[in-house]
Amino acid sequence: MPQWIEVSIQTTHEAADLVAEIMRAAGANNGVVIEDPVLINTLRNSGTWELCDIPEQENTEVVTITAYYPEDEELQPRLTQIDEDLTNLETRIGKCRFGNTCFRTVSEQDWANEWKQYFHVTHIGRTLVIKPTWEKYTSKAGEHIIEIDPGMAFGTGTHHTTCMCMERLEKVLRPDMEVFDVGTGSGILAIAAAKLGAKTVKAVDIDATAVRVAIENIAGNELTEKISVQQGDLLHGTEGKADIIIANIIADIIIMLLQDIPGKLKSGGIFLASGIIEERQNDVSAAASKVGLCVEAVDAKGGWVVMQMRKED
C-alpha cells in the first residue's frame, strides 16, 4: 500500500491562504486542510453542533495548514519548492511561520477511510447534489445527482472554489455545449457539466492518480460516452475548441494557462477560472485582458473567487 507524507505548517491568519496556495501548487492534488482555531471556537459557541467534544482552542493566533504528498521521487523536490516559496513569501510580507515544518507518514489505507466521516451529501446551486458513493440519498424531481468518491484526487465538491464553479455552470451551460475541464481532479466538474446537459466533456489532469479516479467516478455516473479523460499538461493535447473551459486550479497556473485559452474557445466562448484567492484577482484580470478575454462576472466566497471571462470577437 502506498505511503503518503503529511506536511503541516503553522502560520498566521493573514498568511493562511497564501501558505495553502503554496502547498497546493507543490502538488497537493487532494487539497489542503486549514485548521483555524478561531473558526473552531466560533462553531463550538454557535449552537450549530448539538454534541461537541472538541475542546476550546486556546492559542487562536496560529493556523495550521496540512497537505499530503506521495512518498516518491518527487517528494524532496516538492518539499524544497515549498521551503523556497515560503522563504520568498516571508521576504515580501514578513515572518509568518511558527516553529518548524512537521512531517508524518500516513498509509493510504488509513487516510482513504478516515476522511470519509467528514464528507456528506451536499446541495449546490439550484439542482446539483453531490452524493458520496457510500451514503444513501433519495433524489427529488429536477435534481442532478453526482456520485463521487474522490479517493486520492482533489475534488469533493465542498470547497468554495468548486461550489462556485458549479453554480456558474448552472447559469451559463446550455444543452449541446462542448466543455473542457482542465485539472479535473476527481472529475466532479466534468460530471456536473455533463449532468447539466453538455454534449461532450474533455477532462485533463497532469496527475495519473487523478486521471484514474476521474475515470472511475465518470463510469460510476454512467457518463463514459459523454466524458473523455486524458493525462496531460493543462490544455496540451486537447483537440478542437470548446464553448466553455473550466479551470479550478490556482492563480499562477491560470495566468500561465490564459495564453492558450482564446485559441481553444469558440467565438463567444466562456472561460470559468477558479481556485483564485481574492488577493490575486487583479493579477488574473490583467493577464486576461492581455490575451483578449473580458471578465464579465466574479463570484466571491470565503476569500476565494471564480471569474467568468468571455472571448472577445
Side-chain angles (χ1 to χ4, degrees), residues 65-221:
I65 314 295
T66 302
Y68 298 85
Y69 304 96
E71 192 175 27
D72 56 18
E73 67 278 2
E74 296 296 322
L75 178 61
Q76 192 53 53
R78 293 182 199 275
L79 298 179
T80 299
Q81 186 63 55
I82 290 171
D83 189 62
E84 290 177 355
D85 289 345
L86 288 172
T87 299
N88 291 336
L89 176 63
E90 291 189 313
T91 299
R92 298 201 315 270
I93 69 173
K95 182 173 175 56
C96 61
R97 279 184 280 183
F98 300 103
N100 298 320
T101 301
C102 296
F103 304 93
R104 183 169 70 95
T105 300
V106 181
S107 73
E108 185 168 313
Q109 182 68 44
D110 291 341
W111 186 24
N113 292 323
E114 287 181 7
W115 66 269
K116 289 182 178 180
Q117 62 184 302
Y118 304 106
F119 179 30
H120 304 290
V121 172
T122 305
H123 294 259
I124 306 293
R126 293 176 288 104
T127 64
L128 294 169
V129 179
I130 302 169
K131 187 186 88 64
T133 55
W134 56 89
E135 289 207 347
K136 294 182 179 180
Y137 177 76
T138 302
S139 62
K140 300 178 179 63
E143 289 183 335
H144 299 294
I145 309 300
I146 300 173
E147 295 264 355
I148 202 81
D149 183 347
M152 295 296 119
F154 177 75
T156 61
T158 57
H159 192 275
H160 294 312
T161 58
T162 314
C163 289
M164 290 190 291
C165 265
M166 296 170 77
E167 290 167 353
R168 272 283 138 198
L169 275 174
E170 270 196 326
K171 295 175 182 177
V172 302
L173 197 150
R174 299 190 304 275
D176 296 329
M177 279 187 164
E178 295 179 277
V179 177
F180 292 170
D181 179 18
V182 183
T184 193
S186 67
I188 190 166
L189 291 175
I191 295 168
K195 292 275 187 177
L196 290 168
K199 180 180 180 181
T200 60
V201 183
K202 293 181 180 179
V204 183
D205 204 292
I206 196 170
D207 182 70
T209 298
V211 170
R212 174 180 59 78
V213 170
I215 289 172
E216 291 172 355
N217 282 319
I218 289 163
N221 284 272

Side-chain angles (χ1 to χ4, degrees), residues 244-259:
I244 297 176
I245 297 176
I246 315 163
N248 181 21
I249 315 178
I250 61 172
D252 286 331
I253 304 300
I254 286 171
I255 290 171
M256 185 189 308
L257 175 64
L258 277 168
Q259 60 185 342

